[in-house]
Amino acid sequence: MEGALKLWAVILIVGALNYASRLSFIAIFARREMPPLLARALRYVPAAMLTALVVPMVVAHAGMPDPTHPRVPAALLAVAVAFVTRSTLWTLAAGMGALWALQALGR
Amino acid sequence: MRRHLDTASFRDGFVGMLPACVGLAPFGVVCGVGAAAAGADLAAAMGMSTIIFSGAAQILAAQLYAAGAPLAIIVLTCFVLGLRLLMYSAAMAPHLKPLSPAWQRTLAFLLTDQAFAAAIRRFNATDDPRDGASFFLGTGVALWAMWQATNLAGFLAGNLIPAAWSLDFAVPLCFIALIAPLMRNAPNVVAALVAGVAVLALAALPMRLNLVVAGIAGILAGTLAEIARERWKAR
């Protein structure tokens, strides 16, 4: 499948599955209890999936792992700032600021 | 539906969500930029923000699409990421039970991480499900409107921002802002470490399968860590 058609297929299928997940226990399985083991496992979806998404964006540069890239220390600083402040704005400011500073120094 | 709409509760929800909307605005812009970078046209970019209406899923879908991953892998990976919505749905279900199906379907569409957190507090504080539902509708509408405006702004600005600004780095930073505060809980740390190591170790897997495999490994590791901690405490 090519180009725009494939992208629209992604949008409609992911959108439908997301809506089905949102609606699941509210309407579709309204009379059922969530199995306790599932309830437990779902709590770890954000930490696991988002970390799997983020790590390659930080460490892999142009497709190759590069742990010396200035993105790595900038991201570590952002983690510390996010941990303390819980603020998206401060995290963005610290991470982008650190990256720009390191890039300017390395030039 | 309209006669159940309590405008004071709706306004509380809408206004109460505005500070969070300011905080999430950069994330919306980043999603719009990401859609533009993946080669989406205006209609597809807005299709992502209006229909998928989930920043993490939009970024993930755009990146996998741009990397040429097959449709089935994109759908599977986004589905696993969206599983957390099951948790919100189950927690919200008892509060929405007294409402009509139209209310339930509408509020389910607006169920996001932030709307859930705000609405569940209101439902727990009130005995009137209509008050909670109108409040929830207010938070959801505020978030949805902000999301469309910021995604559109990001899409339109995406092509104008010079590459030297490295603005693509804002994408992982937005996610770091979501993940890092979770690290106060040890099983979450285990889940994140296992997922982070696995995604790099499995980078050779075809079709970007490493993402979903690493995610599932992290979910299992976090669950096992929690069970192990309970056993340890019980001794």
Side-chain angles (χ1 to χ4, degrees):
Chain A
M1 211 190 288
E2 278 306 307
L5 186 63
K6 179 177 166 187
L7 185 53
W8 274 104
V10 167
I11 293 168
L12 294 176
I13 299 172
V14 171
L17 285 173
N18 256 354
Y19 187 55
S21 297
R22 288 171 160 136
L23 203 55
S24 58
F25 287 92
I26 292 170
I28 305 170
F29 319 119
R31 294 187 187 169
R32 292 197 203 166
E33 290 279 312
M34 187 185 287
L37 190 63
L38 178 64
R40 214 168 240 215
L42 291 180
R43 264 183 262 158
Y44 300 102
V45 171
M49 277 307 284
L50 295 180
T51 304
L53 184 57
V54 159
V55 169
M57 290 186 202
V58 173
V59 177
H61 201 60
M64 293 295 289
D66 176 10
T68 61
H69 194 276
R71 284 172 182 239
V72 176
L76 290 175
L77 176 70
V79 169
V81 170
F83 183 85
V84 174
T85 66
R86 302 170 189 241
S87 151
T88 308
L89 288 175
W90 280 117
T91 307
L92 276 169
M96 292 307 301
L99 181 65
W100 289 335
L102 289 167
Q103 281 175 341
L105 287 174
R107 212 171 274 150
Chain B
M1 179 154 170
R2 184 172 297 152
R3 73 200 154 88
H4 294 311
L5 185 62
D6 178 340
T7 50
S9 313
F10 179 90
R11 199 168 50 232
D12 278 358
F14 191 93
V15 173
M17 196 40 79
L18 293 181
C21 284
V22 174
L24 287 163
F27 192 23
V29 172
V30 162
C31 287
V33 174
D41 60 12
L42 177 63
M46 294 317 288
M48 295 179 94
S49 64
T50 52
I51 298 170
I52 299 179
F53 187 41
S54 159
Q58 287 171 231
I59 293 277
L60 189 52
Q63 291 219 334
L64 291 174
Y65 170 76
L71 180 62
I73 303 296
I74 304 178
V75 167
L76 174 69
T77 311
C78 289
F79 176 70
V80 174
L81 178 67
L83 283 177
R84 73 193 187 288
L85 297 167
L86 288 175
M87 170 172 72
Y88 300 150
S89 185
M92 202 46 96
H95 299 293
L96 303 189
K97 206 165 244 170
L99 302 169
S100 70
W103 266 105
Q104 293 178 342
R105 286 186 212 119
T106 309
L107 293 178
F109 182 73
L110 296 171
L111 188 58
T112 56
D113 306 75
Q114 293 78 21
F116 171 79
I120 202 81
R121 255 180 273 136
R122 181 75 167 209
F123 274 115
N124 287 332
T126 178
D127 292 329
D128 178 8
R130 286 184 204 168
D131 165 64
S134 296
F135 180 91
F136 186 171
L137 189 65
T139 64
V141 167
L143 277 166
W144 197 83
M146 174 281 298
W147 196 247
Q148 306 320 318
T150 53
N151 270 261
L152 178 62
F155 177 81
L156 297 176
N159 301 318
L160 305 176
I161 299 166
W165 290 11
S166 307
L167 212 68
D168 57 321
F169 191 53
V171 176
L173 291 177
C174 284
F175 289 123
I176 285 172
L178 295 177
I179 308 166
L182 300 174
M183 297 301 124
R184 290 175 171 81
N185 171 13
N188 264 330
V189 177
V190 174
L193 281 177
V194 168
V197 171
V199 78
L200 294 179
L202 301 172
L205 283 183
M207 302 178 296
R208 306 281 305 250
L209 264 169
N210 59 331
L211 249 168
V212 66
V213 174
I216 292 171
I219 293 165
L220 292 177
T223 312
L224 289 175
E226 187 193 301
I227 292 171
R229 187 174 66 174
E230 265 170 25
R231 296 254 162 95
W232 184 258
K233 276 186 184 160
R235 290 202 319 172

